[in-house]
Amino acid sequence: MKSLRQPQQNEELILFVKWLEFLKWLLPALEKFPKKSRFTITNRIENLALDIVELFIEAKYQKEKVHLLKKANLYLEKIRVLFRISYDRKLFSTKAYNFSAKGINEVGILLGGWLKQQKARR
């Protein structure tokens, strides 16, 4: 009989792996931004993206996860807005913007599932 914790661990792992894959694309993409944007939008996106990694790690090892997952979700939403601003300023191509939106949405869905699961445990 399968353990009830196994699916949760797999979902956490999938979420973490998806975000790391997204970062593999994101960090080099941000390096292509013009210098005038590197110390504003680029730094904000990079910091939020890396903070999300840290929040996922912390949530994995903390007993109380809801606060950390909500914070990660908020950071994900901030990145969405910054990507939209970047796209509107023509810092991203349409193809890159669509790719980023898809990646962020996939992670958002997984994160929402993890958060819902943790709220149900309370």
Side-chain angles (χ1 to χ4, degrees):
M1 186 169 143
K2 286 188 176 180
S3 166
L4 293 177
R5 297 231 350 117
Q6 191 62 32
Q8 175 196 354
Q9 290 173 348
N10 286 338
E11 289 171 12
E12 292 170 14
L13 179 61
I14 291 168
L15 172 65
F16 189 74
V17 168
K18 287 268 186 200
W19 191 248
L20 289 181
E21 287 173 0
F22 182 73
L23 284 179
K24 280 186 202 177
W25 170 82
L26 176 64
L27 297 176
L30 293 174
E31 290 174 359
K32 296 175 185 172
F33 276 30
K35 286 186 180 185
K36 65 181 179 178
S37 300
R38 282 205 193 120
F39 296 107
T40 54
I41 293 175
T42 302
N43 280 351
R44 298 283 300 180
I45 293 171
E46 282 178 350
N47 288 335
L48 287 167
L50 295 172
D51 287 346
I52 289 170
V53 170
E54 291 179 7
L55 288 167
F56 289 164
I57 293 168
E58 288 176 32
K60 180 170 175 54
Y61 292 100
Q62 294 290 326
K63 186 172 182 157
E64 181 54 44
K65 300 173 186 325
V66 172
H67 172 71
L68 296 167
L69 296 176
K70 282 183 176 182
K71 192 171 186 178
N73 198 41
L74 176 63
Y75 287 7
L76 207 58
E77 189 60 30
K78 288 180 180 183
I79 287 177
R80 277 189 183 101
V81 171
L82 290 171
F83 270 65
R84 180 62 196 203
I85 291 167
S86 299
Y87 177 70
D88 289 345
R89 293 186 66 209
K90 310 245 186 281
L91 300 173
F92 273 127
S93 68
T94 301
K95 183 179 176 181
Y97 179 73
N98 289 337
F99 179 84
S100 68
K102 182 182 175 193
I104 290 170
N105 286 340
E106 285 178 0
V107 170
I109 289 167
L110 291 167
L111 178 56
W114 192 9
L115 187 55
K116 186 176 178 179
Q117 179 189 50
Q118 291 303 309
K119 286 180 177 179
R121 289 181 154 193
R122 287 181 157 189

